[in-house]
Amino acid sequence: MVSKRAALAVAVETFYEAGPALPWATSDAQAFLRTLSKCGYPSSHTRLWTAHHTTCAALASHLRRLGTSWENVEEIVILWITRTWTSSGKTFLACADTLRDDPAATALPFAEVFRLVEQAAPNARRLTWLCDFSPLPIPKAHGQGGWSERELARIATGKHVILTAAAEEEESWTSVSLQQGIWRHHLREAFEGRAAEALDSAGRLTAAGLHRYLAYAVPRTLRKTHEADRQQTPLCFPPLTPEGEAVLSQHVLAAFTPGQANPAEWLSPSRLQRVIFRSEIAGRLKDLSGFRKSYTVPERANESARKFVQRIGHSDLKADLDQMYERIREQFGYKRKEMEAVCETTGSGTIRTPDFEYTVLLELDESNPSQVIWRREVGQLSSVELVRQAAFRQVFGAVLDRLVFEFREPLDVAAYVDRWESEAPPGTKVRVNSEATQAEITLSGVAGRICVTATSVTIFGRPGDPTTLLEQFLAFLGKYLASNKSQRE
């Protein structure tokens, strides 16, 4: 039986004279193909070209001869790692033997590579190009480093989808700590099923989900491993417009069973506006350090009263921020330049770190103007695993009492409740108000309560250990997914 799937990985790691090497290109390409072999891409239909196979003549020859094995293939994934440049609007892919003084004649035009692949796979219905391109330093007389967005956008139509590791003239960075390219590291995570954020509700990895995950994960990892002035912006063609979404979602690259797909799929940044830990504590307005005996407590929650609270509470806000700054620095071991603290005169303070963002807000209690509300939030988390670290518990364990998932678009609470009542596992109780604008869900064996509104899902717990809030959520989804699986079987 002829395989319907095929894969190609090209890794130009070393250039004889054209430009700097691309560290770990070969090992990353090898590891990627090993991962694909577990996702339905048989080794008989995969190719790896690296080292001496990446000269201009060798690559052209290999591409011309692909038709002998790809004639009946329907789905193809191509990973191409190299340096690129443009000239007269055309993108050129550097080869191992590309010459500095005669680059165009000793490299492969991307359009030519595209044409040869089309010829080799005339029956292919879907081709996904994973382009890990970095700029080639090149004399101005021959062009400029990077690739042509216009050209790739023109090629990515119909059955072709292109995902790039970085924008046109950006470097695709590597990480010494990871011993991999950053984009390639997260690419493998997704194809291994370890990036729940990239999978849809059925456990499928589509080109759309893959790009959303890479666009989110790569800049975060880059900020953690490099200086702040470096950028890397993964792109996709067609772009994620409604029309492009329809095309990208049809490119199913791999599929995982619910057991393989992490039950934290709801944590996907592509589906959520924010994921934050939060606490809200009420206090007397008179207890603020800036309050004087001559002051009058507001009787109404108007703009004047709000500004009054911001003014007399600024010292308290600054003290809270300074105390938290020291605790975070001590427990997480951040260097000074890795942290940024800003205390606004408008009643808010923020601490930014490579792994999360802490915010404290001091607000007037709208329902009782004699009181204030201290709202503390931790968001922009670099990973789910961060919450399980001892340092996170030490700093925020006694502070946080709820986990909030805020939606990008309003949720139809009524439809959500109907689905839960028809599909939820035994022991689930769903309470909903008469207007179907708010629901509360409890599950046997899972502590806490879950409140659902049109804008968010909130898990309420007790201050002590933020991990328990996260575990409650994962256990909650785990039981739900397990129940659905047994019903299908």
Side-chain angles (χ1 to χ4, degrees):
M1 179 179 178
V2 177
S3 173
K4 293 184 178 181
R5 281 182 163 178
L8 167 65
V10 179
V12 189
E13 182 165 332
T14 304
F15 304 90
Y16 300 159
E17 68 168 63
L22 294 172
W24 301 295
T26 299
S27 58
D28 284 354
Q30 292 170 335
F32 179 67
L33 289 185
R34 287 196 299 269
T35 297
L36 286 187
S37 68
K38 302 174 184 177
C39 300
Y41 296 81
S43 56
S44 60
H45 282 71
T46 61
R47 299 287 184 273
L48 172 64
W49 301 335
T50 187
H52 62 280
H53 290 283
T54 58
T55 63
C56 186
L59 286 173
S61 174
H62 290 327
L63 287 166
R64 285 194 298 269
R65 291 183 287 117
L66 270 179
T68 57
S69 58
W70 279 11
E71 184 177 357
N72 297 310
V73 168
E74 295 182 3
E75 300 175 15
I76 302 171
V77 172
I78 299 174
L79 170 65
W80 202 295
I81 308 168
T82 190
R83 293 192 178 276
T84 61
W85 81 96
T86 62
S87 178
S88 301
K90 297 180 180 179
T91 301
F92 288 85
L93 310 183
C95 305
D97 59 342
T98 295
L99 299 176
R100 186 181 296 109
D101 295 330
D102 192 16
T106 54
L108 290 175
F110 186 82
E112 177 66 10
V113 172
F114 174 80
R115 184 185 67 81
L116 290 172
V117 169
E118 283 259 271
Q119 288 182 351
N123 297 313
R125 295 183 293 110
R126 289 192 286 267
L127 291 94
T128 305
W129 299 76
L130 305 173
C131 300
D132 194 343
F133 295 161
S134 290
L136 180 75
I138 191 169
K140 290 185 178 180
H142 297 295
Q144 66 180 36
W147 47 271
S148 169
E149 182 173 331
R150 180 176 296 181
E151 182 178 26
L152 267 63
R154 185 172 62 250
I155 289 174
T157 57
K159 62 185 180 180
H160 294 273
V161 163
I162 302 175
L163 274 64
T164 68
E168 291 176 280
E169 298 178 12
E170 291 178 348
E171 186 80 15
S172 178
W173 298 100
T174 56
S175 168
V176 174
S177 59
L178 291 173
Q179 297 284 291
Q180 297 175 66
I182 293 174
W183 185 78
R184 302 190 294 264
H185 166 73
H186 290 298
L187 185 70
R188 281 185 59 206
E189 276 190 332
F191 275 89
E192 290 171 353
R194 294 190 291 120
E197 302 95 322
L199 307 179
D200 64 16
S201 57
R204 299 178 305 177
L205 177 66
T206 65
L210 176 60
H211 170 67
R212 286 196 186 96
Y213 172 66
L214 293 171
Y216 167 79
V218 170
R220 281 185 171 274
T221 301
L222 181 63
R223 287 196 297 270
K224 291 175 62 177
T225 57
H226 291 76
E227 296 296 330
D229 61 342
R230 296 188 178 182
Q231 290 187 331
Q232 184 171 343
T233 312
L235 299 177
C236 69
F237 302 91
L240 280 177
T241 60
E243 296 78 11
E245 173 89 26
V247 174
L248 292 163
S249 296
Q250 292 300 314
H251 282 242
V252 179
L253 306 173
F256 303 90
T257 64
Q260 290 173 286
N262 193 316
E265 191 263 336
W266 278 9
L267 295 172
S268 169
S270 65
R271 293 168 173 80
L272 299 168
Q273 184 69 34
R274 289 200 306 165
V275 180
I276 54 175
F277 286 91
R278 175 184 289 165
S279 71
E280 293 182 5
I281 300 175
R284 294 200 317 162
L285 186 147
K286 287 184 175 181
D287 291 338
L288 296 176
S289 62
F291 189 84
R292 301 290 181 263
K293 289 183 179 181
S294 58
Y295 293 165
T296 302
V297 174
E299 295 181 356
R300 294 193 305 272
N302 52 28
E303 187 62 25
S304 175
R306 296 185 190 96
K307 290 183 177 179
F308 175 66
V309 168
Q310 293 168 3
R311 178 168 56 84
I312 68 172
H314 183 73
S315 296
D316 304 81
L317 189 73
K318 182 67 165 58
D320 181 283
L321 201 69
D322 288 344
Q323 182 184 42
M324 190 59 74
Y325 182 92
E326 288 304 317
R327 292 179 64 188
I328 291 172
R329 191 165 140 81
E330 177 184 351
Q331 293 295 330
F332 286 89
Y334 293 128
K335 297 177 181 178
R336 183 203 58 79
K337 65 180 180 179
E338 294 179 311
M339 297 179 64
E340 177 188 1
V342 179
C343 187
E344 305 285 355
T345 58
T346 53
S348 68
T350 303
I351 299 173
R352 297 183 180 89
T353 78
D355 297 301
F356 60 86
E357 186 174 289
Y358 169 79
T359 303
V360 55
L361 300 104
L362 177 60
E363 302 172 339
L364 185 68
D365 188 338
E366 300 288 329
S367 62
N368 183 358
S370 68
Q371 293 196 134
V372 294
I373 299 293
W374 286 91
R375 179 180 292 115
R376 295 173 174 87
E377 297 179 350
V378 178
Q380 301 293 322
L381 303 174
S382 61
S383 71
V384 174
E385 292 304 316
L386 175 71
V387 182
R388 297 190 172 98
Q389 292 183 13
F392 195 90
R393 293 195 297 273
Q394 287 290 330
V395 175
F396 301 114
V399 176
L400 307 169
D401 65 356
R402 65 197 69 178
L403 176 58
V404 184
F405 302 82
E406 296 181 350
F407 305 131
R408 290 185 183 278
E409 298 179 356
L411 176 72
D412 186 336
V413 177
Y416 184 85
V417 169
D418 292 344
R419 181 166 64 86
W420 264 101
E421 290 183 331
S422 63
E423 299 179 1
T428 298
K429 293 183 179 179
V430 181
R431 299 179 179 86
V432 60
N433 63 5
S434 58
E435 297 85 10
T437 57
Q438 181 171 315
E440 185 176 286
I441 303 172
T442 57
L443 185 64
S444 176
V446 178
R449 57 191 176 91
I450 298 176
C451 182
V452 182
T453 69
T455 57
S456 65
V457 169
T458 303
I459 301 175
F460 291 88
R462 297 186 305 273
D465 184 355
T467 308
T468 60
L469 287 169
L470 180 65
E471 297 301 341
Q472 284 174 27
F473 177 72
L474 297 184
F476 187 77
L477 282 188
K479 287 196 175 186
Y480 171 66
L481 291 175
S483 173
N484 276 352
K485 181 181 179 182
S486 63
Q487 289 176 16
R488 288 194 300 270
E489 293 174 349

